[in-house]
């Protein structure tokens, strides 16, 4: 079914790589005008070029999700295109350093929280302020399977992803009367630059990949486009009665 987001205005953070890039392209292909937030202008230009000829459009917006002005500026770009803000996808996130809690520095803790929690909070706040009184909309936050469980020595990342899910649930309850839905996609591991860097940093990258893939009943990790389909569903009117939900996309791992 084509044109599932025809005429809609969408903001996607962390949109120049991995899941964010696939989500931006997928939604533009379904007719949305997508404001793609990222920090790398070269990657942003590449994304815009890749989106040329799709049913919708992608406009790159340079910024850091830790800054409130990045989010308000992206929404202003959406309005400037002549579209209202229909969906806001908080995808940007970092893994951060691995290690036990007692060896985690305050600086490392704060860096992961600044992107994964502060950035999502600022995106949610900006989106809600825009959507209230404007007919509502959909907020889609990207959590993780670690929003529900934990892996060894990923304390900061795990804590922030639990926080993203809690924030999503709070938004769903608080703003339902305003027509605003909030949902959280919980992916397992994906073929993204973040995971590929994780493999590369290990002593034996091939063994690290084999161990990760072997943990999944489906015996592989996800392609970003597979997870982007879940983002698309929750952003679209097709999920009009879905709010406060977590959607696992993890190949039966959990």
């Amino acid at each position: 079914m084509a044109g599932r987001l025809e005429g809609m205005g969408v903001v996607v953070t962390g949109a120049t790589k991995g899941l964010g890039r696939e989500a931006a392209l997928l939604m533009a292909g379904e007719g949305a005008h997508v404001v793609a937030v990222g920090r790398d202008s070269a990657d942003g230009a590449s994304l815009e070029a890749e989106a040329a000829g799709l049913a919708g459009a992608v406009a790159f917006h340079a910024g850091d999700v830790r800054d409130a002005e990045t989010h308000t500026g992206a929404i202003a770009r959406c309005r400037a295109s002549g579209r209202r803000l229909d969906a806001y996808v908080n995808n940007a996130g970092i893994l951060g350093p691995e290690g036990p809690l007692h060896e985690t520095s305050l600086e490392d803790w704060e860096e992961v929280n600044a992107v994964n929690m502060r950035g999502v909070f600022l995106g949610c706040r900006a989106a809600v302020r825009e959507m209230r009184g404007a007919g509502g909309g959909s907020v889609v936050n990207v959590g993780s399977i670690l929003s529900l469980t934990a892996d060894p020595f990923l304390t900061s990342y795990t804590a922030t992803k639990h926080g993203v899910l809690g924030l999503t649930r709070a938004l769903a309850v608080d703003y339902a009367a305003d027509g605003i839905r909030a949902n959280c996609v919980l992916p397992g591991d994906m073929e993204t630059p973040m995971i590929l860097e994780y493999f590369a940093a290990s002593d034996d990258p091939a063994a690290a990949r084999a161990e990760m893939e072997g943990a999944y009943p489906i015996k592989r990790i996800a392609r970003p486009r597979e997870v982007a389909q879940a983002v698309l569903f929750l952003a679209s009117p097709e999920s009009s009665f879905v709010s406060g939900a977590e959607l696992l996309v993890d190949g039966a791992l959990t």
Side-chain angles (χ1 to χ4, degrees):
M1 181 172 61
R4 295 161 68 189
L5 303 183
E6 187 67 38
M8 290 177 58
V10 179
V11 173
V12 180
T13 71
T16 59
K17 293 183 174 69
L19 172 59
R21 188 182 187 95
E22 288 299 323
L25 292 169
L26 181 62
M27 290 193 283
E30 293 290 345
H33 180 91
V34 180
V35 178
V37 178
R39 291 189 291 179
D40 191 308
S41 296
D43 285 342
S46 169
L47 175 61
E48 288 181 336
E50 189 173 351
L54 295 177
V58 173
F60 174 67
H61 181 74
D64 188 322
V65 294
R66 296 171 293 185
D67 298 329
E69 293 80 7
T70 294
H71 301 278
T72 55
I75 292 171
R77 287 282 300 275
C78 182
R79 286 199 309 266
S81 72
R83 293 161 178 83
R84 51 163 278 167
L85 178 67
D86 294 290
Y88 203 103
V89 181
N90 288 296
N91 166 71
I94 61 173
L95 185 63
E98 291 186 270
L101 176 64
H102 70 275
E103 295 178 0
T104 301
S105 70
L106 179 60
E107 292 75 18
D108 285 343
W109 168 266
E110 289 182 338
E111 180 183 10
V112 176
N113 273 268
V115 177
N116 294 3
M117 276 303 303
R118 174 189 171 97
V120 174
F121 159 74
L122 291 172
C124 289
R125 188 180 69 173
V128 165
R129 287 176 171 175
E130 180 71 15
M131 292 172 178
R132 288 185 70 214
S138 174
V139 176
V140 182
N141 295 327
V142 177
S144 165
I145 54 173
L146 297 187
S147 296
L148 299 177
T149 183
D151 274 353
F153 306 129
L154 283 175
T155 305
S156 302
Y157 183 81
T158 300
T160 59
K161 290 302 184 179
H162 274 68
V164 168
L165 179 55
L167 176 59
T168 305
R169 290 169 169 165
L171 288 179
V173 171
D174 291 345
Y175 297 102
D178 296 299
I180 298 171
R181 298 184 297 108
N183 293 287
C184 199
V185 176
L186 308 185
D189 297 294
M190 294 177 281
E191 294 274 359
T192 62
M194 185 168 71
I195 293 299
L196 297 179
E197 288 168 9
Y198 169 80
F199 291 148
S202 67
D203 293 334
D204 187 338
R209 175 185 280 273
E211 180 181 11
M212 180 179 287
E213 292 180 336
Y216 285 82
I218 202 168
K219 298 305 178 188
R220 64 176 177 85
I221 60 177
R223 296 181 291 272
R225 178 59 65 111
E226 293 174 306
V227 182
Q229 294 284 359
V231 174
L232 169 65
F233 168 68
L234 292 174
S236 78
E238 295 168 14
S239 58
S240 58
F241 201 65
V242 181
S243 194
E246 65 268 13
L247 178 51
L248 278 162
V249 190
D250 71 343
L253 178 64
T254 56

